[in-house]
Each structure stands twice: as structure tokens, then as C-alpha cells.
Amino acid sequence: MRAESSAAARKGAFVAVTVALFCVQLDFFALNLAIPGMSAELGVTVSAAQWTLSAYMLAIGCFFIVGGRPPARDARQDPSPVAAGTR
């Protein structure tokens, strides 16, 4: 029974990570489409808007890494349900 719940937890974690990565890619795609409009409205160059978008995406990626660290730090403890996204 332990192996079944472990497999279910792995599957749930995989689904949660897949959905999160899809949301990040969708966000990046939508912001790339909006760059010309944002740069015109804000009065900046397209290049400056692209740099800002790149900095934003880098920050998001860093926060994902930092957010995933606490559950992975101590492998003996089960991660919290919020961090694991499985329960």
C-alpha cells in the first residue's frame, strides 16, 4: 500500500510541476506578445521592455528554485502539501 501512495504522490507532483511550467510559459508568451504595446504606452524602447521582461522571468525562475528548496532540504521529512501540490 505504501508503494501505491508513493506512486500517486509522484504522479501528483509531476502534474503540479507540469501545470506550473505551462503557466510560466504561457505568461512569458503573453508578455512577449504585449511588448510592442507596453513599450509604446510606457514610452520606452522595445529593447528596454524586452530587458525588463527578461529580468522578470529570471526573478520568477529564482523564486521557483528558492521555493522548491525547503522540501528538498531534508529528504527524511515529507514536504508540506502546499509545496508538494499533491494533497
Side-chain angles (χ1 to χ4, degrees), residues 11-74:
K11 185 176 180 180
F14 176 74
V15 169
V17 168
T18 303
V19 169
L21 287 174
F22 174 75
C23 289
V24 168
Q25 289 298 326
L26 187 65
D27 183 34
F28 190 63
F29 177 73
L31 286 173
N32 270 322
L33 289 178
I35 282 179
M38 288 188 314
S39 63
E41 190 170 318
L42 296 174
V44 298
T45 63
V46 173
S47 178
Q50 286 176 336
W51 274 105
T52 305
L53 175 62
S54 295
Y56 166 72
M57 293 309 292
L58 183 62
I60 291 279
C62 290
F63 286 132
F64 276 144
I65 292 171
V66 171
R69 256 321 257 169
R73 191 175 302 157
D74 190 7

